[in-house]
Amino acid sequence: MLCPCGCQAIIQLSLIRRDSPHWRAWTEADGSASLSPSVWRKPTCGAHFWLRRGRIIWC
Ligand SMILES: [Zn+2]
């Protein structure tokens, strides 16, 4: 996914359970996507957000 802060960085998140860290992504009943836990790009642009029901929720 493209970083939602506008820095143009491409974020890659592992969904593989044995990887650390890894994320869980699922589809909501309305077809939108959610992701857990939050994404925190601490060493780069600092963006920290949740993806819930296809929307970015800033921390
Ligand atoms: Zn960014």
Side-chain angles (χ1 to χ4, degrees):
M1 63 185 283
L2 207 58
C3 183
C5 88
C7 71
Q8 301 297 312
I10 294 170
I11 302 174
Q12 293 185 321
L13 301 172
S14 177
L15 299 176
I16 300 168
R17 284 186 191 187
R18 67 173 179 270
D19 281 359
S20 182
H22 69 262
W23 283 261
R24 195 169 72 86
W26 66 94
T27 306
E28 302 285 357
D30 63 1
S32 62
S34 292
L35 189 71
S36 181
S38 65
V39 177
W40 193 3
R41 293 171 40 74
K42 200 174 181 180
T44 52
C45 67
H48 189 190
F49 58 92
W50 292 85
L51 178 64
R52 278 288 184 274
R53 296 181 181 275
R55 293 180 170 217
I56 298 297
I57 300 166
W58 294 102
C59 295

